[in-house]
Amino acid sequence: MSAILQGGVASTALSPFKTTDSNKLVTAPSRSSLSVRSRSDWSKSFGSRLIARRSQPPLIPNAVATKKTDNAESSTSSKSGHELLLFEALQEGLEEEMDRDPHVCVMGEDVGHYGGSYKVTKGLADKFGDLRVLDTPICENAFTGMGIGAAMTGLRPVIEGMNMGFLLLAFNQISNNCGMLHYTSGGQFTIPVVIRGPGGVGRQLGAEHSQRLESYFQSIPGIQMVACSTPYNAKGLMKAAIRSENPVILFEHVLLYNLKESIPDEEYICNLEEAEMVRPGEHITILTYSRMRYHVMQAAKTLVNKGYDPEVIDIRSLKPFDLYTIGNSVKKTHRVLIVEECMRTGGIGASLTAAINENFHDYLDAPVMCLSSQDVPTPYAGTLEEWTVVQPAQIVTAVEQLCQ
Amino acid sequence: MALSRLSSRSTTLLHPLATTSLLRRRHISTDTTPLTVETSLPFTSHLISPPSRSVSTSSQELLSFFHDMALMRRMEIAADSLYKAKLIRGFCHLYDGQEAVAIGMEAAITKKDAIITSYRDHCTFLGRGGGLYEAFSELMGRKTGCSNGKGGSMHFYKKDASFYGGHGIVGAQAPLGCGLAFAQKYLKDEAVTFTLYGDGAANQGQLFEALNIAALWDLPAVLVCENNHYGMGTAEWRSAKSPAYFKRGDYVPGLKVDGMDALAVKQACKFAKEHALKNGPIILEMDTYRYHGHSMSDPGSTYRTRDEISGVRQVRDPIDRVRKLIISHDIATEKELKDMEKEVRKEVDEAVAQAKESPIPEPSELFTNIYVKGFGSESFGADRKELRATLP
């Protein structure tokens, strides 16, 4: 089993940035220096943010294009960035991609004249016109299908669901057409759509508007799923998703739209399949994504005071999992805690637990523990709602239990 | 009958050549002098004035109609026997009886116009330029099929001929078709999209949603309802309160066409294309009939009588109609047409034999084309290891 793992690890070391010239393994050195990175207060992941490439291959490929000045893995804190909120970061990413490629268009409810229900598409309709920022009537099934049909001809639509829960109405289109057309047509058609929208438990929004659809979409073959959590990775993932030839579902969170952060001025994208190291540590690996990252970081403060050293990884890529980063971490700490907002049954945590157990069983000193939301419809009452979702206190208790 | 009136007029033109036709058919079959033929029935329209009943065609076109429809008919019958021989598995939905719709449509449009249809797509694929060998290979799940054997009967696609499939879920192709029309408008292609669906799918909500958007944004979409009067086992009168499918668009104009008359279909599609390019969506209802059941698992006789089927076959069969036209216009003789059918049969048999010999896909094909390899990463399964052909 470990032999297979070695092989797997070796191949994944090369794979994420495999290009025509395979000696441009810019990330390889950074991956090996994983544990010596110093901590910083926001998400500095090792060089995955800003990767320079000397030459541009004809297809849109890999990582990021910076301007002529070559910044291999320099930290950007020396450069002046600009501060903005998460929804503004998404908007910036979207706008830059629309400027760059005329095939990119946005469709969704109230994205045009209204500016988007969470202001992600504000100002875009004035700039790009009604044909590129389309206000659709309320018919998720039809406009998702339309986006997919348009993508079959080469356009790159960004389909917005006003709330992720509404996309359940478009499930047939997403599952059968979006995910499967590349396969059933024998590779003739690619579907470069991005389906995005806010999901997750908000502030007393009620059961139907607090859904977490990651678990429903995760078994659709052919799609990629990513979840953003900071303005930095929101912009990066948005741009990467638009440039990707695969259909990507970008999960945003209703409560994270007003997060403020300073992001670099230059153009960058984030790798869609890579996880982010939020806080390196030694004692336990905590895997999380989206809003739970902040609960985990809050718990981490308490844990550090109590003498623990948790390693926090924001998995970001929900399908496929970045088992390379996760695996390295497990091999170091030997204990895993998964903290997620998804439902207990059949959620992302459940799949991740299975994947870790299958691949890294020999490295575990304790069973993988998974803290997820309760299997209940989200209640309206504030206190009850708090108890459906994982709270920092529960995370601290779980870590203490695992690290005994 | 209108036909005989016209034929007596036109034979005065063709008469001098008619004598030589008995000896050398080649002489007339490539004749492109325009003929005018009247459609069998007038068009019924909704919110629009219908096109004229006189269709201009030519001997060459009529002969090509006959040849292509005979090819399609033969292919479907061969597929029937292959299914019974268990070489084709799963679902197999046959199009015989409805060939005129595919043929007439092709005659009116170019390869830049897109067609998207449901699972009854074998003949539409052929009409778009697909080969018999690819079709049979795909049906038998071989590597040389048009979707590499991974799609099957319901997933034929041909990108270079703008044929977008091939969809298994009833009605799901309606929004896709409007998306194609949207892209054509966006990219300023000056082409239209023909979105075909059946009378069963006409009750799907997503169709009306897509129609609303298409009408709102003036998309060049032509929605074609192939009304064969049965949604699997449920007759039209039992499933639709208003079976006038061409009127169901309400604010969108519609046209009802005799779908067993290839020339009427051609006229209607030409008319619809012109309309869609200028004014937005239009609905065409093709009144057609399928001889087989819904699919090969459906005998087709539990919800309709054999007399009905044979009645339609005698009176309205599309190939017979064209055959009568050809003979009455002295374009070819009965015997020559029979020879053509024999050639077609041979062609189909050869393609079947060739397809039977073709290889099955490699096991590693299981994992190809799930993701597009790009953006610097290889596609793996959830465990990030690409599994190669180690299937048991």
Side-chain angles (χ1 to χ4, degrees):
Chain A
M1 159 104 168
S2 52
I4 302 170
L5 205 53
Q6 289 303 334
V9 162
S11 62
T12 50
L14 293 175
S15 61
F17 296 96
K18 194 171 198 168
T19 61
T20 48
D21 4 82
S22 54
N23 48 6
K24 295 255 193 318
L25 299 173
V26 186
T27 51
S30 65
R31 283 182 179 282
S32 57
S33 61
L34 150 71
S35 42
V36 293
R37 267 308 152 123
S38 57
R39 270 187 280 149
S40 63
D41 39 7
W42 51 284
S43 52
K44 270 208 200 320
S45 52
F46 26 75
S48 62
R49 302 173 290 129
L50 205 65
I51 294 155
R53 287 184 46 82
R54 280 167 181 70
S55 59
Q56 298 296 328
L59 287 182
I60 302 192
N62 276 351
V64 171
T66 54
K67 305 212 173 60
K68 301 300 187 270
T69 60
D70 215 348
N71 306 310
E73 271 136 33
S74 59
S75 60
T76 52
S77 56
S78 55
K79 295 207 174 295
S80 62
H82 54 284
E83 222 179 34
L84 41 54
L85 304 175
L86 196 143
F87 72 86
E88 287 169 351
L90 287 167
Q91 186 193 348
E92 226 177 68
L94 192 48
E95 196 172 335
E96 282 174 18
E97 288 304 304
M98 287 181 80
D99 272 327
R100 188 174 163 277
D101 182 358
H103 288 96
V104 181
C105 53
V106 183
M107 46 177 84
E109 294 157 15
D110 280 331
V111 295
H113 296 186
Y114 190 82
S117 47
Y118 293 93
K119 293 184 280 207
V120 174
T121 49
K122 190 160 173 208
L124 295 183
D126 294 325
K127 183 170 174 188
F128 295 107
D130 277 347
L131 197 63
R132 286 187 76 187
V133 183
L134 297 146
D135 276 327
T136 62
I138 306 177
C139 45
E140 281 75 14
N141 198 346
F143 70 72
T144 311
M146 278 189 65
I148 295 166
M152 282 168 96
T153 60
L155 290 191
R156 307 182 89 92
V158 175
I159 301 169
E160 172 172 317
M162 192 183 270
N163 187 293
M164 269 292 177
F166 306 161
L167 288 182
L168 285 174
L169 289 162
F171 203 100
N172 174 52
Q173 297 289 348
I174 296 174
S175 163
N176 290 331
N177 293 330
C178 188
M180 297 191 194
L181 269 172
H182 187 59
Y183 191 83
T184 56
S185 67
Q188 286 179 69
F189 297 110
T190 60
I191 318 286
V193 290
V194 177
I195 299 175
R196 49 161 292 267
V201 177
R203 298 248 182 274
Q204 298 187 257
L205 296 178
E208 289 169 3
H209 292 77
S210 316
Q211 293 189 76
R212 287 127 279 173
L213 295 199
E214 304 87 77
S215 51
Y216 304 149
F217 290 134
Q218 69 177 320
S219 42
I220 301 175
I223 57 164
Q224 277 189 268
M225 303 199 313
V226 285
C228 62
S229 47
T230 65
Y232 180 83
N233 62 33
K235 178 176 174 185
L237 290 174
M238 169 72 93
K239 288 170 71 91
I242 294 176
R243 293 191 199 187
S244 168
E245 292 296 322
N246 295 314
V248 179
I249 305 186
L250 173 58
F251 290 93
E252 302 154 11
H253 197 287
V254 272
L255 293 180
L256 296 184
Y257 277 130
N258 290 323
L259 278 180
K260 194 183 272 208
E261 193 186 16
S262 183
I263 63 169
D265 285 328
E266 5 359 277
E267 195 180 9
Y268 69 93
I269 54 182
C270 294
N271 188 353
L272 285 177
E273 294 93 17
E274 200 174 345
E276 195 177 316
M277 177 68 71
V278 183
R279 180 192 186 283
E282 295 290 326
H283 290 163
I284 181 172
T285 301
I286 306 184
L287 301 173
T288 180
Y289 66 93
S290 194
R291 180 170 165 237
M292 287 296 111
R293 168 191 173 134
Y294 296 95
H295 281 208
V296 167
M297 290 312 287
Q298 208 179 330
K301 281 200 205 116
T302 320
L303 286 168
V304 164
N305 288 341
K306 290 194 177 181
Y308 295 97
D309 188 18
E311 178 156 295
V312 180
I313 296 182
D314 180 347
I315 59 175
R316 248 169 37 184
S317 168
L318 304 178
K319 183 180 168 85
F321 292 131
D322 181 6
L323 286 179
Y324 181 74
T325 312
I326 294 172
N328 282 349
S329 178
V330 172
K331 285 179 210 166
K332 192 171 60 164
T333 65
H334 309 297
R335 291 180 165 81
V336 182
L337 173 67
I338 302 172
V339 179
E340 54 155 5
E341 201 175 326
C342 217
M343 315 296 256
R344 183 105 194 85
T345 309
I348 296 285
S351 304
L352 194 51
T353 308
I356 294 175
N357 277 327
E358 239 170 53
N359 291 302
F360 308 118
H361 188 260
D362 291 338
Y363 296 93
L364 289 171
D365 280 348
V368 176
M369 196 184 229
C370 180
L371 294 178
S372 13
S373 300
Q374 310 302 320
D375 277 331
V376 296
T378 315
Y380 169 72
T383 43
L384 292 180
E385 189 185 60
E386 253 178 51
W387 285 104
T388 49
V389 177
V390 180
Q391 299 296 332
Q394 295 166 316
I395 303 175
V396 172
T397 321
V399 170
E400 285 173 346
Q401 207 179 336
L402 273 178
C403 285
Q404 260 157 17
Chain B
M1 254 204 56
L3 277 175
S4 48
R5 259 192 286 127
L6 275 168
S7 61
S8 58
R9 262 190 278 145
S10 51
T11 40
T12 50
L13 282 168
L14 292 175
H15 198 71
L17 298 167
T19 45
T20 50
S21 73
L22 294 171
L23 303 170
R24 290 180 338 158
R25 178 169 46 101
R26 288 288 149 254
H27 220 110
I28 292 180
S29 63
T30 52
D31 188 357
T32 50
T33 50
L35 273 179
T36 315
V37 182
E38 287 238 324
T39 62
S40 57
L41 294 171
F43 297 105
T44 331
S45 66
H46 170 71
L47 291 186
I48 198 172
S49 49
S52 112
R53 271 178 82 175
S54 311
V55 187
S56 90
T57 176
S58 69
S59 328
Q60 183 196 32
E61 189 172 60
L62 286 175
L63 277 171
S64 79
F65 278 8
F66 183 83
H67 176 267
D68 293 340
M69 286 204 279
L71 192 69
M72 291 178 178
R73 178 70 60 94
R74 220 7 48 219
M75 176 177 83
E76 297 296 69
I77 294 179
D80 179 310
S81 5
L82 284 174
Y83 192 89
K84 289 181 176 137
K86 290 208 190 313
L87 282 165
I88 300 179
R89 315 300 297 268
F91 292 125
C92 188
H93 304 87
L94 299 177
Y95 201 71
D96 53 329
Q98 299 183 210
E99 299 93 352
V101 176
I103 288 293
M105 192 180 288
E106 284 302 325
I109 61 178
T110 68
K111 289 293 187 281
K112 270 194 75 181
D113 298 307
I115 295 187
I116 187 170
T117 182
S118 65
Y119 41 79
R120 212 178 288 280
D121 56 351
H122 308 165
C123 299
T124 323
F125 172 72
L126 230 56
R128 283 266 93 176
L132 280 174
Y133 175 57
E134 280 89 44
F136 282 117
S137 307
E138 184 63 35
L139 286 173
M140 294 196 266
R142 307 301 168 97
K143 192 159 75 166
T144 45
C146 50
S147 300
N148 301 339
K150 301 203 286 197
S153 159
M154 297 188 280
H155 300 284
F156 281 23
Y157 302 92
K158 196 165 165 64
K159 183 170 189 182
D160 50 5
S162 307
F163 177 52
Y164 289 88
H167 295 275
I169 303 291
V170 169
Q173 74 273 18
L176 286 181
C178 291
L180 296 171
F182 169 72
Q184 284 171 333
K185 180 171 177 160
Y186 190 101
L187 297 169
K188 301 197 174 65
D189 269 349
E190 294 300 310
V192 299
T193 301
F194 283 81
T195 309
L196 284 77
Y197 58 97
D199 47 299
N203 298 317
Q204 275 265 329
Q206 49 190 326
L207 181 69
F208 296 96
E209 292 176 14
L211 194 61
N212 179 37
I213 299 187
L216 197 60
W217 294 346
D218 283 323
L219 301 181
V222 179
L223 287 102
V224 181
C225 177
E226 293 178 293
N227 182 7
N228 55 24
H229 305 288
Y230 294 94
M232 200 162 95
T234 308
E236 172 184 51
W237 58 272
R238 292 181 67 223
S239 68
K241 182 76 179 170
S242 155
Y245 298 107
F246 68 108
K247 284 194 187 154
R248 279 211 187 168
D250 188 25
Y251 39 82
V252 170
L255 202 63
K256 183 166 169 157
V257 186
D258 179 7
M260 306 295 253
D261 179 357
L263 291 169
V265 171
K266 174 187 162 186
Q267 180 86 323
C269 290
K270 210 159 77 123
F271 176 75
K273 176 173 174 174
E274 280 161 21
H275 182 273
L277 279 175
K278 283 201 306 280
N279 308 346
I282 178 172
I283 298 183
L284 297 180
E285 182 186 335
M286 304 282 176
D287 188 348
T288 179
Y289 200 83
R290 53 168 163 80
Y291 299 143
H292 270 91
H294 166 73
S295 72
M296 288 303 299
S297 0
D298 169 30
S301 49
T302 54
Y303 47 87
R304 52 185 189 174
T305 60
R306 288 194 200 281
D307 289 335
E308 182 189 307
I309 307 174
S310 49
V312 174
R313 204 190 272 270
Q314 271 163 11
V315 177
R316 296 177 66 199
D317 185 65
I319 301 183
D320 281 341
R321 179 189 303 275
V322 176
R323 191 201 308 266
K324 287 192 192 105
L325 265 179
I326 291 178
I327 291 174
S328 66
H329 286 256
D330 277 331
I331 298 173
T333 63
E334 181 83 41
K335 182 173 177 310
E336 281 158 355
L337 292 178
K338 280 228 167 10
D339 286 340
M340 200 185 262
E341 280 182 314
K342 283 208 193 90
E343 270 176 45
V344 156
R345 185 172 187 151
K346 216 163 62 114
E347 207 180 318
V348 168
D349 288 341
E350 271 169 23
V352 169
Q354 219 186 344
K356 277 185 189 165
E357 303 297 313
S358 56
I360 56 175
E362 306 284 315
S364 60
E365 279 283 317
L366 182 62
F367 297 102
T368 57
N369 292 138
I370 295 187
Y371 293 110
V372 177
K373 285 191 197 301
F375 210 54
S377 66
E378 279 182 349
S379 68
F380 299 94
D383 58 359
R384 302 277 295 173
K385 295 184 208 122
E386 186 164 19
L387 295 179
R388 296 189 188 280
T390 50
L391 295 176

